[in-house]
Amino acid sequence: MERRKSRVIKLGNKFLGYGNDILIQSMTYTKTEDKEATLSQILALEEAGCDIVRFSVPNENCLDSIPYLKENTHIPLVADIHFDYRLALGAAERGIDKIRINPGNIGSEEKVKAVADICKSKNIPIRIGVNGGSLEKHILEKHGRPTPEALCESAMYHANLLEKFDFYDIVISIKSSDVATTIKANRMLAEMCDYPLHLGVTEAGTERTGLIKSSAGIGALLCEGIGDTLRVSLSDDVIKEVEAAKDLLRVLGIRQGVKVISCPTCSRCNIDVFSVAKKVENAFKNTDADLKIAVMGCAVNGPGEAREADIGIAGGNGEALLFKKGQIIGKIPMENIFDVLMKETEKLISDCTQH
Ligand code: SF4
């Protein structure tokens, strides 16, 4: 897959854009005024593998939290601001790493210029975040509904406002709760500019629906080389957003990590595939080693179906076969399947890291 050659933007201690990692984002849902609660959620997100955290700044009290959060966290922080340009100025003055604002929503050109000027002087990028549900009236009237064309027109309208003041450290996101619209709009936008793109399906829904919609929408774009950062948006625990994003990048081969291949089982199955596969996946979910582990129910098709795996097991008669690179190397008694597979995998990971 050839990646789109997007502009590179510095964002706190990270770089965003072509040639850099595709960064995982999430957003806190604590009250930003509550410094301790917000800090602990950001630290939990960091721990889970989040690269960038956004929080909303709906009022001046929230601004006071910014220096404290900056001081005690280690990844770029983004202030999400709507309408009030003074909050954007305040966030920039207090050391925020990025601002999400739609320049067309904050009033006169002088106000847009004031935000662009302070961000430029402090090397703070701005994300323009266009959502299907909050399109400008004049654009909505022209297109009748939030079509991909309307979303792109809105994004470029906001980008042009910033460009007018010589500001180009721009990241753009175009999100719709409709997967097909999100995909089409981002494809179009990717052709219209070279700004890095933040991907997401907005208001994607609860855990199950949100995961499916995000995987379909974000996944399709990533497979085409589009996207520099992403958020899997869920009506659920923020940590799940990060875990899902990591898994998505991993299954697409964009990030390294352990991949577990497991069969759906059938009447030939001789072992508890479901539980062993889940336990193995959980045990290695934060391991960076690029390894495939297979958990297969039987020896008839097991080793063959998992030929590509680095290590795996296939259920046998009262035991499991242990294989590496498709070759059977031993037998494991039924009660020790998980422990032996864990031990052998750890050995393999340690060999990989030593060489
Ligand atoms: Fe069935 Fe064996 Fe295939 Fe699993 S590996 S689905 S148990 S045939």
Side-chain angles (χ1 to χ4, degrees):
M1 168 235 305
E2 201 181 326
R3 189 162 165 197
R4 170 177 169 262
K5 289 196 171 53
S6 53
R7 181 187 294 254
V8 176
I9 278 168
K10 189 169 187 304
L11 170 59
N13 57 9
K14 293 198 162 39
F15 286 93
L16 184 64
Y18 182 69
N20 295 286
D21 284 347
I22 294 174
L23 301 178
I24 296 170
Q25 301 202 27
S26 186
M27 186 169 184
T28 57
Y29 48 63
T30 50
K31 293 283 176 206
T32 307
E33 305 88 306
D34 186 342
K35 294 178 191 176
E36 292 307 329
T38 305
L39 175 63
S40 93
Q41 198 161 67
I42 295 174
L43 292 176
L45 283 163
E46 273 188 28
E47 176 74 26
C50 190
D51 299 305
I52 304 169
V53 175
R54 179 163 55 118
F55 48 80
S56 48
V57 178
N59 57 54
E60 273 187 39
N61 293 339
C62 299
L63 292 176
D64 295 338
S65 299
I66 293 175
Y68 179 74
L69 297 174
K70 271 304 300 167
E71 219 166 279
N72 293 289
T73 57
H74 317 88
I75 54 176
L77 301 181
V78 184
D80 190 277
I81 293 162
H82 283 280
F83 307 117
D84 190 345
Y85 86 111
R86 289 166 306 176
L87 294 175
L89 300 183
E93 275 154 9
R94 286 165 181 78
I96 202 72
D97 297 303
K98 183 166 111 182
I99 286 173
R100 183 265 164 122
I101 196 163
N102 286 353
N105 295 344
I106 63 168
S108 65
E109 291 211 347
E110 290 74 46
K111 290 175 182 172
V112 177
K113 184 174 186 310
V115 176
D117 285 350
I118 193 165
C119 286
K120 197 171 180 185
S121 72
K122 293 181 180 294
N123 294 317
I124 299 172
I126 295 177
R127 164 149 78 94
I128 294 166
V130 173
N131 276 5
S134 55
L135 274 184
E136 293 68 38
K137 213 170 147 214
H138 68 276
I139 293 177
L140 206 51
E141 272 168 13
K142 179 174 162 193
H143 295 271
R145 59 189 181 84
T147 60
E149 291 77 8
L151 292 163
C152 286
E153 189 174 327
S154 172
M156 293 315 295
Y157 157 68
H158 291 295
N160 292 340
L161 278 173
L162 290 175
E163 288 164 357
K164 209 165 167 177
F165 301 111
D166 209 21
F167 189 91
Y168 299 93
D169 273 355
I170 299 170
V171 181
I172 305 184
S173 68
I174 283 190
K175 297 183 182 181
S176 163
S177 58
D178 179 68
V179 175
T181 304
T182 302
I183 296 172
K184 193 167 174 208
N186 277 282
R187 277 183 188 149
M188 287 171 62
L189 189 67
E191 296 287 321
M192 293 168 119
C193 66
D194 73 345
Y195 292 124
L197 301 184
H198 166 82
L199 304 182
V201 177
T202 195
E203 291 114 29
T206 53
E207 183 177 9
R208 181 184 147 82
T209 312
L211 287 178
I212 293 172
K213 285 174 85 172
S214 299
S215 306
I218 299 171
L221 290 162
L222 289 174
C223 286
E224 294 173 21
I226 297 171
D228 303 284
T229 171
L230 64 99
R231 178 186 181 195
V232 173
S233 158
L234 299 176
S235 305
D236 212 311
D237 187 343
V238 279
I239 302 301
K240 289 185 184 174
E241 293 194 349
V242 174
E243 288 177 348
K246 277 165 72 178
D247 287 345
L248 182 54
L249 292 174
R250 197 179 291 173
V251 299
L252 294 176
I254 293 171
R255 275 205 191 184
Q256 284 200 348
V258 171
K259 295 183 193 81
V260 176
I261 299 161
S262 61
C263 82
T265 79
C266 69
S267 69
R268 292 193 194 95
C269 184
N270 294 315
I271 56 166
D272 186 358
V273 168
F274 298 172
S275 127
V276 174
K278 270 186 202 152
K279 276 157 76 181
V280 170
E281 195 167 69
N282 202 40
F284 294 109
K285 69 178 182 188
N286 291 323
T287 307
D288 290 337
D290 206 16
L291 211 65
K292 279 186 192 153
I293 308 171
V295 181
M296 311 302 286
C298 77
V300 176
N301 293 323
E305 284 178 11
R307 200 174 292 125
E308 300 297 312
D310 297 285
I311 187 164
I313 50 143
N317 199 5
E319 60 194 10
L321 304 172
L322 175 67
F323 54 90
K324 279 187 184 171
K325 309 274 182 200
Q327 299 296 317
I328 296 168
I329 59 156
K331 293 178 179 176
I332 316 171
M334 201 62 102
E335 60 280 11
N336 294 337
I337 293 176
F338 174 70
D339 293 341
V340 173
L341 183 58
M342 283 293 293
K343 216 172 104 199
E344 291 293 327
T345 306
E346 276 159 7
K347 232 196 276 174
L348 210 56
I349 291 172
S350 136
D351 288 351
C352 290
T353 40
Q354 277 166 22
H355 294 119

